[in-house]
């Protein structure tokens, strides 16, 4: 899947055939977030005597009394959130898709995969470093154009790789865009600083964590003031982001379990940098 709502697409494919055969559609699933096809079916039909759709909601022990009680208790202690969903059969509260699919699609420039450097624009870059064993090492480069942020480059080095060699490749690419400073997170302490410094590139730690970067990106996407590359892997990562209600009252944004967001993080970092630069350069924004 490329991150699109596959539950909706599967139902769209099945229902026309059922309309001609008169067959029944049976959906079996653990509930997850309060979004998507399963949630909508539950919301519209659960507990409705006049509905033609039967929604059966029950806990795992009710459906399978042979489940060991000690196993269920360990699961409840180790991961209470998963326990409520997988065992009790409850939809998770406070979890929602971060981006609206249509808003995100409106920001994609079709068939644009990378833009070459020009002598006109001033570029910014953001990296999401990796040690080369699990996550990708990603780079995004962009520039400001009137009130919009344009993403020029998104590249990712997937593991396994030599981190020092990747830094060298990134440094060479940055120099073609006349970029002498790159921003990234505080991954691995001084290691990124030393590696990039050896290639004549200054490494600066971002003041915002990845969740805050995504929250900064959201209004730009909704206002269509960012131009994204037509990169299926990047779009899949952006579509997989979820907003979770934090216990402290502050929302957190992160990828779904088992997914990655390395490309998305680099793009969000570039957008945050350039959006701030555009605001500082527009005097009308500071007039009360």
């Amino acid at each position: 899947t490329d991150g699109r709502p596959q539950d909706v697409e599967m139902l769209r494919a099945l229902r026309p055939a059922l309309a001609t055969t008169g067959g029944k559609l049976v959906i079996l699933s653990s509930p997850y977030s309060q979004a998507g096809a399963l949630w909508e079916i539950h919301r519209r039909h659960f507990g409705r005597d006049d509905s033609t759709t039967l929604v059966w909601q029950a806990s795992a022990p009710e459906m399978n009394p042979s489940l060991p009680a000690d196993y269920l208790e360990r699961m409840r202690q180790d991961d209470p959130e998963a326990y409520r969903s997988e065992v009790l059969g409850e939809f998770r509260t406070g979890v929602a898709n971060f981006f609206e699919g249509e808003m995100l699609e409106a920001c994609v420039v079709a068939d644009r995969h990378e833009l070459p450097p020009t002598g006109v624009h001033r570029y910014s870059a953001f990296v999401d470093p990796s040690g080369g064993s699990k996550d990708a090492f990603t780079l995004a480069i962009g520039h400001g154009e009137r009130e919009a942020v344009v993403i020029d480059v998104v590249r990712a080095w997937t593991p396994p790789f030599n981190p020092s060699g990747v830094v060298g490749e990134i440094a060479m690419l940055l120099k073609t865009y006349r970029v002498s400073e790159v921003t990234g997170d505080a991954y691995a302490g001084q290691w990124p600083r030393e590696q990039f410094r050896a290639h004549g590139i200054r490494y600066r730690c971002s003041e915002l964590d990845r969740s805050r970067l995504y929250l900064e990106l959201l209004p730009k996407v909704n206002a269509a003031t960012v131009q994204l590359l037509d990169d299926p892997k990047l779009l899949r990562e952006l579509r997989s982001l979820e907003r979770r209600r934090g216990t402290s009252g502050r929302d957190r944004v992160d990828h779904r379990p088992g997914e990655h967001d390395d490309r998305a993080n680099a793009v969000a970092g570039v957008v945050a940098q350039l959006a701030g630069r555009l605001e500082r350069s527009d005097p009308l924004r500071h007039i009360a």
Side-chain angles (χ1 to χ4, degrees):
T1 172
D2 61 358
R4 296 179 187 273
Q6 56 187 0
D7 52 354
V8 175
E9 296 303 323
M10 291 169 67
L11 290 174
R12 285 175 177 169
L14 288 168
R15 280 172 172 155
L18 297 176
T20 58
T21 64
K24 290 181 172 59
L25 172 63
V26 180
I27 302 173
L28 303 176
S29 177
S30 296
Y32 186 59
S33 66
Q34 296 182 5
L38 185 69
W39 166 251
E40 285 301 316
I41 292 172
H42 182 278
R43 184 182 63 83
R44 291 166 53 194
H45 300 289
F46 182 70
R48 294 283 302 273
D49 293 335
D50 58 344
S51 175
T52 58
T53 298
L54 171 65
V55 178
W56 175 295
Q57 184 177 20
S59 69
E62 289 172 324
M63 296 290 288
N64 184 4
S66 65
L67 288 171
D70 58 341
Y71 165 78
L72 297 175
E73 178 59 22
R74 284 198 306 272
M75 187 174 181
R76 185 186 68 82
Q77 294 177 2
D78 294 342
D79 193 341
E81 187 175 2
Y83 176 83
R84 288 192 294 271
S85 175
E86 300 294 333
V87 177
L88 300 183
E90 299 175 356
F91 284 93
R92 301 189 186 193
T93 59
V95 180
N97 293 336
F98 187 58
F99 289 111
E100 292 287 341
E102 293 183 359
M103 296 292 188
L104 198 59
E105 294 291 340
C107 296
V108 178
V109 181
D111 298 323
R112 178 188 288 178
H113 305 292
E114 188 168 301
L115 292 174
T118 69
V120 178
H121 303 300
R122 178 186 173 191
Y123 296 95
S124 291
F126 194 99
V127 292
D128 187 358
S130 167
S133 60
K134 183 179 179 181
D135 296 325
F137 198 136
T138 55
L139 163 72
I141 301 174
H143 70 273
E145 201 167 285
R146 297 184 179 90
E147 294 186 354
V149 173
V150 179
I151 302 300
D152 297 81
V153 176
V154 177
R155 294 196 187 180
W157 289 257
T158 56
F161 55 76
N162 181 339
S164 299
V166 171
V167 171
E169 292 183 44
I170 291 175
M172 290 179 60
L173 182 60
L174 291 176
K175 290 174 182 178
T176 65
Y177 285 83
R178 305 185 313 281
V179 175
S180 58
E181 177 182 277
V182 66
T183 304
D185 60 23
Y187 170 85
Q190 291 291 325
W191 181 85
R193 294 181 177 88
E194 295 171 356
Q195 291 292 314
F196 279 98
R197 187 185 305 120
H199 294 277
I201 303 293
R202 181 188 174 197
Y203 184 94
R204 185 171 65 88
C205 284
S206 173
E207 297 178 358
L208 304 177
D209 62 19
R210 66 177 55 212
S211 180
R212 290 283 303 279
L213 290 175
Y214 291 138
L215 291 170
E216 293 285 325
L217 175 61
L218 180 61
K220 309 299 185 297
V221 169
N222 290 344
T225 55
V226 57
Q227 295 181 17
L228 299 173
L229 296 175
D230 193 351
D231 183 332
K233 293 182 178 179
L234 167 64
L235 297 176
R236 179 172 63 242
E237 291 184 0
L238 290 170
R239 294 187 191 107
S240 74
L241 293 176
E242 294 179 334
R243 183 197 290 263
R244 297 184 176 92
R245 189 180 305 142
T247 56
S248 63
R250 175 178 294 179
D251 286 356
R252 295 288 303 173
V253 181
D254 204 348
H255 57 77
R256 297 170 186 161
E259 299 283 347
H260 295 276
D261 66 340
D262 310 300
R263 295 170 177 82
N265 183 43
V267 167
V270 168
V271 172
Q273 289 183 77
L274 289 168
R277 183 187 300 173
L278 291 172
E279 290 178 359
R280 290 191 297 271
S281 65
D282 186 352
L284 293 179
R285 294 178 182 268
H286 303 284
I287 297 177

